[in-house]
Each structure stands twice: as structure tokens, then as C-alpha cells.
Amino acid sequence: MELKKEGSGEAIARNLLEMSRLKVPIICIVIGEGSSGGALAIGVGDRVLMLENAVYSVLSPEGFATILWKDSSRAEEAAEIMKMTAKDLRDLNIIDKIIEEPEGGAQKEIMQMCGIVKKEILSNLKILEKLDTNTLLQQRYDKFRAM
């Protein structure tokens, strides 16, 4: 494969195109902070799940504040506007489900959290693997377009 000089924008676009064509289920889980080009890739998932205390956005609040107001110190205000929380994103139909975390957060009970995430992956995979390839790809396309 020949190396190209288009840069990261072209690489992100190529990744989105290739992911959208995968003939297997894609389950994405935001466990901390999903942002930038990675956030775009997560959006291609057939199921996008998010830990309740995670954040997900294509741009950081600091970057948003810098672009909008030329003042990165307004990051907290930007975060409110951006609707980056699991609840906000579920309400906007950007993600499919919020995964509740154990008392004290996922980092306090790592093994318990791993069990919860495993259960969610298996549950969603069970549903998605019943779809024929054409239906899977069409639903993925429709979901992404609806965003």
C-alpha cells in the first residue's frame, strides 16, 4: 500500500468508510473519554454503549471554547452546551444505552465493572448476530445517517 500525504482527516474518513462496510457486528463502549477522530469511529457502531460517568464528543470542551469564544478558560460552559454526558447523549439518541457503574465508579470495582461490560457485550451480540448481513449494514447506515 502506498503511503499518502492527505493527513489525519483522510485517514479518519477512510476508517469510517471501512468500518461502515464491516460485515460483522460492531459494539462500541465508551468507558472514559471518547473524543476527536475516535469519537467519529465510535459513532459507526451498531450499538454504542457508555458508562454513566463517561463523556463522548468529537471535540474537547477546551477546543470548543477556543474555537467559539477564543477563550479556553470557558471549557466548563462549553461542556454544558456540548451535551457530552451519557444521559444527554442517550436523550439525543446518539448512544443506545447507559451502563450503570458500581458505587464509587468503575475504577473502584474494576472486576465487577468488567463483568457488567461483558454481560452487555454478549447481550447485544446475541441480538446483532441474528441479523443477516444486508440488514446489519442497512441498520448501521440508517443509524449513522439519523445522527
Side-chain angles (χ1 to χ4, degrees), residues 19-64:
M19 279 185 71
S20 71
R21 293 177 176 169
L22 292 177
K23 295 178 180 179
V24 296
I26 302 171
I27 300 170
C28 300
I29 302 176
V30 181
I31 62 170
E33 181 180 336
S35 62
S36 193
L40 294 172
I42 290 168
V44 177
D46 298 303
R47 294 292 185 276
V48 179
L49 315 177
M50 200 171 158
L51 299 190
E52 67 180 306
N53 294 309
V55 292
Y56 174 41
S57 168
V58 295
L59 183 64
S60 71
E62 294 80 9
F64 181 95

Short mmCIF file of all heavy atoms in Angstrom, two decimals, residues 19-64:
data_model
loop_
_atom_site.label_atom_id
_atom_site.label_comp_id
_atom_site.label_asym_id
_atom_site.label_seq_id
_atom_site.Cartn_x
_atom_site.Cartn_y
_atom_site.Cartn_z
N MET A 19 -15.03 0.90 8.33
CA MET A 19 -15.83 0.38 9.45
C MET A 19 -17.29 0.22 9.04
O MET A 19 -17.93 -0.76 9.41
CB MET A 19 -15.74 1.30 10.67
CG MET A 19 -14.50 1.10 11.49
SD MET A 19 -14.52 2.09 12.99
CE MET A 19 -15.76 1.26 13.97
N SER A 20 -17.80 1.17 8.29
CA SER A 20 -19.21 1.11 7.91
C SER A 20 -19.50 -0.09 7.02
O SER A 20 -20.64 -0.55 6.95
CB SER A 20 -19.63 2.40 7.21
OG SER A 20 -19.04 2.50 5.92
N ARG A 21 -18.49 -0.63 6.37
CA ARG A 21 -18.66 -1.77 5.47
C ARG A 21 -18.40 -3.13 6.13
O ARG A 21 -18.60 -4.16 5.49
CB ARG A 21 -17.71 -1.63 4.28
CG ARG A 21 -18.04 -0.46 3.39
CD ARG A 21 -17.00 -0.36 2.31
NE ARG A 21 -17.30 0.68 1.35
CZ ARG A 21 -16.46 1.10 0.43
NH1 ARG A 21 -15.25 0.57 0.33
NH2 ARG A 21 -16.80 2.06 -0.39
N LEU A 22 -17.94 -3.14 7.38
CA LEU A 22 -17.65 -4.40 8.05
C LEU A 22 -18.91 -5.26 8.11
O LEU A 22 -19.98 -4.75 8.45
CB LEU A 22 -17.10 -4.17 9.45
CG LEU A 22 -15.72 -3.54 9.54
CD1 LEU A 22 -15.36 -3.30 11.00
CD2 LEU A 22 -14.67 -4.41 8.87
N LYS A 23 -18.78 -6.51 7.80
CA LYS A 23 -19.94 -7.40 7.73
C LYS A 23 -20.16 -8.17 9.03
O LYS A 23 -20.83 -9.20 9.05
CB LYS A 23 -19.78 -8.36 6.56
CG LYS A 23 -19.78 -7.62 5.23
CD LYS A 23 -19.57 -8.54 4.06
CE LYS A 23 -19.59 -7.71 2.78
NZ LYS A 23 -19.38 -8.52 1.60
N VAL A 24 -19.61 -7.65 10.09
CA VAL A 24 -19.79 -8.24 11.42
C VAL A 24 -20.31 -7.15 12.36
O VAL A 24 -20.12 -5.95 12.10
CB VAL A 24 -18.46 -8.82 11.97
CG1 VAL A 24 -17.99 -9.98 11.09
CG2 VAL A 24 -17.40 -7.74 12.06
N PRO A 25 -20.98 -7.54 13.42
CA PRO A 25 -21.49 -6.53 14.37
C PRO A 25 -20.36 -5.70 14.99
O PRO A 25 -19.27 -6.21 15.25
CB PRO A 25 -22.17 -7.37 15.45
CG PRO A 25 -22.51 -8.66 14.77
CD PRO A 25 -21.41 -8.89 13.79
N ILE A 26 -20.64 -4.42 15.20
CA ILE A 26 -19.70 -3.51 15.85
C ILE A 26 -20.37 -3.00 17.12
O ILE A 26 -21.41 -2.35 17.05
CB ILE A 26 -19.34 -2.31 14.95
CG1 ILE A 26 -18.74 -2.77 13.63
CG2 ILE A 26 -18.39 -1.36 15.69
CD1 ILE A 26 -18.57 -1.65 12.61
N ILE A 27 -19.77 -3.31 18.25
CA ILE A 27 -20.27 -2.83 19.54
C ILE A 27 -19.19 -1.94 20.13
O ILE A 27 -18.06 -2.39 20.34
CB ILE A 27 -20.59 -4.01 20.49
CG1 ILE A 27 -21.65 -4.92 19.86
CG2 ILE A 27 -21.04 -3.48 21.85
CD1 ILE A 27 -21.86 -6.23 20.60
N CYS A 28 -19.53 -0.69 20.39
CA CYS A 28 -18.57 0.27 20.94
C CYS A 28 -19.01 0.66 22.35
O CYS A 28 -20.20 0.88 22.59
CB CYS A 28 -18.52 1.52 20.07
SG CYS A 28 -17.99 1.19 18.38
N ILE A 29 -18.04 0.73 23.24
CA ILE A 29 -18.35 1.12 24.61
C ILE A 29 -17.40 2.23 25.03
O ILE A 29 -16.18 2.06 25.00
CB ILE A 29 -18.22 -0.08 25.57
CG1 ILE A 29 -19.15 -1.21 25.12
CG2 ILE A 29 -18.54 0.36 27.00
CD1 ILE A 29 -19.05 -2.47 25.93
N VAL A 30 -17.97 3.37 25.40
CA VAL A 30 -17.19 4.50 25.90
C VAL A 30 -17.02 4.27 27.40
O VAL A 30 -18.00 4.27 28.13
CB VAL A 30 -17.88 5.85 25.61
CG1 VAL A 30 -17.03 7.00 26.12
CG2 VAL A 30 -18.18 6.00 24.13
N ILE A 31 -15.77 4.08 27.83
CA ILE A 31 -15.53 3.77 29.24
C ILE A 31 -14.92 4.95 30.00
O ILE A 31 -14.83 4.90 31.21
CB ILE A 31 -14.63 2.53 29.40
CG1 ILE A 31 -13.26 2.77 28.77
CG2 ILE A 31 -15.31 1.31 28.81
CD1 ILE A 31 -12.24 1.70 29.10
N GLY A 32 -14.51 5.96 29.31
CA GLY A 32 -13.90 7.12 29.96
C GLY A 32 -14.19 8.37 29.16
O GLY A 32 -15.19 9.03 29.32
N GLU A 33 -13.30 8.64 28.20
CA GLU A 33 -13.48 9.80 27.35
C GLU A 33 -13.32 9.38 25.90
O GLU A 33 -12.25 8.94 25.48
CB GLU A 33 -12.44 10.87 27.69
CG GLU A 33 -12.58 12.11 26.86
CD GLU A 33 -11.55 13.19 27.19
OE1 GLU A 33 -11.02 13.18 28.30
OE2 GLU A 33 -11.27 14.01 26.31
N GLY A 34 -14.39 9.49 25.13
CA GLY A 34 -14.34 9.22 23.70
C GLY A 34 -14.37 10.56 22.99
O GLY A 34 -15.33 11.30 23.12
N SER A 35 -13.29 10.89 22.31
CA SER A 35 -13.27 12.22 21.67
C SER A 35 -12.45 12.19 20.38
O SER A 35 -11.82 11.21 20.05
CB SER A 35 -12.70 13.26 22.63
OG SER A 35 -11.37 12.96 22.97
N SER A 36 -12.52 13.29 19.67
CA SER A 36 -11.78 13.54 18.45
C SER A 36 -12.18 12.54 17.36
O SER A 36 -13.33 12.14 17.26
CB SER A 36 -10.28 13.51 18.74
OG SER A 36 -9.56 14.04 17.66
N GLY A 37 -11.21 12.13 16.54
CA GLY A 37 -11.48 11.20 15.45
C GLY A 37 -11.99 9.87 15.97
O GLY A 37 -12.80 9.21 15.32
N GLY A 38 -11.54 9.48 17.14
CA GLY A 38 -12.02 8.24 17.74
C GLY A 38 -13.51 8.30 18.01
O GLY A 38 -14.22 7.29 17.89
N ALA A 39 -14.01 9.46 18.39
CA ALA A 39 -15.45 9.62 18.63
C ALA A 39 -16.24 9.40 17.35
O ALA A 39 -17.33 8.83 17.38
CB ALA A 39 -15.75 10.99 19.22
N LEU A 40 -15.70 9.84 16.25
CA LEU A 40 -16.37 9.62 14.97
C LEU A 40 -16.45 8.13 14.67
O LEU A 40 -17.49 7.62 14.26
CB LEU A 40 -15.64 10.35 13.85
CG LEU A 40 -15.66 11.87 13.92
CD1 LEU A 40 -14.74 12.45 12.85
CD2 LEU A 40 -17.07 12.40 13.76
N ALA A 41 -15.37 7.41 14.91
CA ALA A 41 -15.36 5.97 14.67
C ALA A 41 -16.35 5.25 15.58
O ALA A 41 -17.04 4.34 15.14
CB ALA A 41 -13.95 5.42 14.87
N ILE A 42 -16.43 5.66 16.83
CA ILE A 42 -17.37 5.05 17.77
C ILE A 42 -18.80 5.19 17.24
O ILE A 42 -19.62 4.29 17.40
CB ILE A 42 -17.23 5.68 19.17
CG1 ILE A 42 -15.89 5.26 19.80
CG2 ILE A 42 -18.39 5.32 20.08
CD1 ILE A 42 -15.51 6.04 21.04
N GLY A 43 -19.09 6.31 16.60
CA GLY A 43 -20.44 6.55 16.09
C GLY A 43 -20.89 5.56 15.04
O GLY A 43 -22.08 5.42 14.78
N VAL A 44 -19.97 4.83 14.42
CA VAL A 44 -20.31 3.86 13.39
C VAL A 44 -20.83 2.56 14.01
O VAL A 44 -21.41 1.73 13.32
CB VAL A 44 -19.09 3.58 12.47
CG1 VAL A 44 -19.39 2.51 11.44
CG2 VAL A 44 -18.66 4.86 11.77
N GLY A 45 -20.68 2.40 15.30
CA GLY A 45 -21.08 1.16 15.96
C GLY A 45 -22.55 0.83 15.78
O GLY A 45 -23.41 1.71 15.80
N ASP A 46 -22.81 -0.47 15.65
CA ASP A 46 -24.20 -0.92 15.59
C ASP A 46 -24.88 -0.68 16.93
O ASP A 46 -26.07 -0.40 17.00
CB ASP A 46 -24.26 -2.42 15.26
CG ASP A 46 -23.66 -2.70 13.90
OD1 ASP A 46 -24.14 -2.12 12.91
OD2 ASP A 46 -22.70 -3.49 13.83
N ARG A 47 -24.11 -0.80 17.99
CA ARG A 47 -24.55 -0.45 19.34
C ARG A 47 -23.46 0.40 19.96
O ARG A 47 -22.28 0.02 19.92
CB ARG A 47 -24.78 -1.69 20.21
CG ARG A 47 -25.90 -2.59 19.78
CD ARG A 47 -27.27 -1.93 19.96
NE ARG A 47 -28.35 -2.84 19.64
CZ ARG A 47 -28.81 -3.06 18.42
NH1 ARG A 47 -28.30 -2.45 17.38
NH2 ARG A 47 -29.80 -3.91 18.22
N VAL A 48 -23.85 1.52 20.51
CA VAL A 48 -22.91 2.39 21.23
C VAL A 48 -23.42 2.49 22.65
O VAL A 48 -24.52 2.98 22.90
CB VAL A 48 -22.80 3.79 20.58
CG1 VAL A 48 -21.84 4.65 21.37
CG2 VAL A 48 -22.35 3.67 19.12
N LEU A 49 -22.61 1.98 23.56
CA LEU A 49 -22.93 1.98 24.97
C LEU A 49 -21.94 2.89 25.68
O LEU A 49 -20.84 3.11 25.19
CB LEU A 49 -22.83 0.56 25.53
CG LEU A 49 -23.47 -0.56 24.70
CD1 LEU A 49 -23.23 -1.90 25.34
CD2 LEU A 49 -24.95 -0.31 24.50
N MET A 50 -22.33 3.36 26.85
CA MET A 50 -21.48 4.32 27.54
C MET A 50 -21.61 4.16 29.04
O MET A 50 -22.72 4.05 29.55
CB MET A 50 -21.95 5.72 27.12
CG MET A 50 -20.99 6.81 27.31
SD MET A 50 -21.64 8.30 26.49
CE MET A 50 -20.72 9.51 27.41
N LEU A 51 -20.49 4.11 29.72
CA LEU A 51 -20.54 4.09 31.18
C LEU A 51 -21.16 5.41 31.64
O LEU A 51 -20.95 6.45 31.02
CB LEU A 51 -19.16 3.92 31.79
CG LEU A 51 -18.39 2.63 31.47
CD1 LEU A 51 -17.15 2.53 32.36
CD2 LEU A 51 -19.24 1.40 31.58
N GLU A 52 -21.89 5.35 32.73
CA GLU A 52 -22.67 6.51 33.16
C GLU A 52 -21.82 7.75 33.47
O GLU A 52 -22.31 8.87 33.34
CB GLU A 52 -23.55 6.17 34.36
CG GLU A 52 -22.79 5.85 35.63
CD GLU A 52 -23.72 5.51 36.78
OE1 GLU A 52 -24.62 6.31 37.09
OE2 GLU A 52 -23.52 4.43 37.36
N ASN A 53 -20.56 7.58 33.82
CA ASN A 53 -19.71 8.73 34.14
C ASN A 53 -18.73 9.08 33.02
O ASN A 53 -17.84 9.91 33.22
CB ASN A 53 -18.95 8.47 35.45
CG ASN A 53 -19.91 8.42 36.62
OD1 ASN A 53 -20.73 9.30 36.81
ND2 ASN A 53 -19.83 7.34 37.39
N ALA A 54 -18.88 8.47 31.87
CA ALA A 54 -18.01 8.74 30.74
C ALA A 54 -18.49 9.99 29.99
O ALA A 54 -19.61 10.47 30.21
CB ALA A 54 -17.99 7.54 29.80
N VAL A 55 -17.63 10.50 29.12
CA VAL A 55 -18.01 11.61 28.24
C VAL A 55 -17.63 11.24 26.81
O VAL A 55 -16.70 10.49 26.57
CB VAL A 55 -17.33 12.96 28.64
CG1 VAL A 55 -17.86 13.45 29.97
CG2 VAL A 55 -15.83 12.84 28.68
N TYR A 56 -18.38 11.81 25.86
CA TYR A 56 -18.21 11.45 24.46
C TYR A 56 -18.51 12.66 23.59
O TYR A 56 -19.59 13.25 23.69
CB TYR A 56 -19.17 10.29 24.16
CG TYR A 56 -19.29 9.82 22.73
CD1 TYR A 56 -18.18 9.72 21.90
CD2 TYR A 56 -20.52 9.45 22.23
CE1 TYR A 56 -18.31 9.26 20.61
CE2 TYR A 56 -20.66 8.98 20.94
CZ TYR A 56 -19.56 8.88 20.13
OH TYR A 56 -19.69 8.43 18.85
N SER A 57 -17.53 13.04 22.78
CA SER A 57 -17.68 14.24 21.95
C SER A 57 -16.60 14.23 20.87
O SER A 57 -15.52 13.68 21.07
CB SER A 57 -17.52 15.48 22.82
OG SER A 57 -17.37 16.62 22.06
N VAL A 58 -16.87 14.87 19.75
CA VAL A 58 -15.86 14.94 18.69
C VAL A 58 -14.81 16.03 18.95
O VAL A 58 -13.83 16.12 18.23
CB VAL A 58 -16.48 15.14 17.30
CG1 VAL A 58 -17.31 13.93 16.91
CG2 VAL A 58 -17.28 16.41 17.22
N LEU A 59 -15.03 16.82 19.97
CA LEU A 59 -14.11 17.93 20.29
C LEU A 59 -14.07 18.11 21.80
O LEU A 59 -15.08 17.94 22.47
CB LEU A 59 -14.64 19.21 19.62
CG LEU A 59 -13.84 20.48 19.72
CD1 LEU A 59 -12.49 20.34 19.03
CD2 LEU A 59 -14.61 21.63 19.10
N SER A 60 -12.93 18.46 22.32
CA SER A 60 -12.83 18.71 23.76
C SER A 60 -13.52 20.03 24.10
O SER A 60 -13.62 20.93 23.25
CB SER A 60 -11.36 18.80 24.18
OG SER A 60 -10.78 19.99 23.69
N PRO A 61 -13.99 20.17 25.33
CA PRO A 61 -14.59 21.45 25.73
C PRO A 61 -13.61 22.62 25.58
O PRO A 61 -14.01 23.72 25.20
CB PRO A 61 -14.96 21.24 27.20
CG PRO A 61 -15.12 19.78 27.34
CD PRO A 61 -14.12 19.16 26.39
N GLU A 62 -12.33 22.37 25.85
CA GLU A 62 -11.33 23.43 25.68
C GLU A 62 -11.22 23.85 24.22
O GLU A 62 -11.14 25.04 23.91
CB GLU A 62 -9.96 22.95 26.20
CG GLU A 62 -9.90 22.70 27.68
CD GLU A 62 -10.48 21.36 28.11
OE1 GLU A 62 -10.80 20.50 27.25
OE2 GLU A 62 -10.64 21.17 29.33
N GLY A 63 -11.23 22.86 23.33
CA GLY A 63 -11.16 23.17 21.90
C GLY A 63 -12.40 23.91 21.43
O GLY A 63 -12.32 24.88 20.66
N PHE A 64 -13.56 23.49 21.91
CA PHE A 64 -14.82 24.14 21.56
C PHE A 64 -14.80 25.60 22.02
O PHE A 64 -15.13 26.52 21.25
CB PHE A 64 -15.97 23.39 22.23
CG PHE A 64 -17.35 23.93 21.96
CD1 PHE A 64 -18.12 23.41 20.95
CD2 PHE A 64 -17.87 24.97 22.72
CE1 PHE A 64 -19.40 23.89 20.71
CE2 PHE A 64 -19.15 25.46 22.48
CZ PHE A 64 -19.91 24.93 21.47
#
